[in-house]
Amino acid sequence: MKKKFRNEKGQLTVKLDEIGKLTQKTANSYYRVGRIYLNHMDDEEYVFIAKDEVVAHFQSFSGKNLFIPLDSLGTFLPYIASEGMELEFVE
């Protein structure tokens, strides 16, 4: 999959904090409480269980927790994240 904000070598062309700002609206639509996402880093499925003003909380069925700052959530979108770092919608 061709990744956004990257050159032909796959290197980022935009700073991560800027990508977070540019993708915040999309991330808010893509990541929804109650939905399940595959974490490509550990190949486990996580349920998005809660969020507050600062952090999104995901929990795997085996009890692992992911806490991701909301302003960075867009950097985990499948077409943005580095290979193996994607947090991809399952159901």
Side-chain angles (χ1 to χ4, degrees):
M1 167 189 298
K2 183 170 168 62
K3 303 285 187 166
K4 200 170 178 183
F5 306 115
R6 296 180 184 272
N7 63 22
E8 53 282 338
K9 293 180 180 179
Q11 299 165 322
L12 287 176
T13 57
V14 178
K15 291 184 179 189
L16 271 179
D17 60 337
E18 186 64 23
I19 292 171
K21 291 175 190 173
L22 294 169
T23 59
Q24 193 167 29
K25 186 175 180 181
T26 302
N28 287 338
S29 296
Y30 187 82
Y31 296 109
R32 301 261 183 169
V33 172
R35 292 185 176 174
I36 299 171
Y37 299 87
L38 175 65
N39 179 3
H40 286 252
M41 226 161 120
D42 63 7
D43 206 34
E44 288 200 47
E45 292 183 350
Y46 286 74
V47 178
F48 187 0
I49 61 170
K51 71 177 182 175
D52 59 22
E53 300 82 37
V54 180
V55 173
H57 180 191
F58 296 81
Q59 188 171 60
S60 74
F61 293 99
S62 66
K64 294 179 183 176
N65 292 287
L66 293 176
F67 296 95
I68 302 173
L70 292 177
D71 59 358
S72 297
L73 201 52
T75 65
F76 291 88
L77 291 164
Y79 62 94
I80 302 290
S82 296
E83 283 297 319
M85 301 291 290
E86 302 93 337
L87 195 54
E88 183 176 9
F89 174 73
V90 174
E91 62 179 73

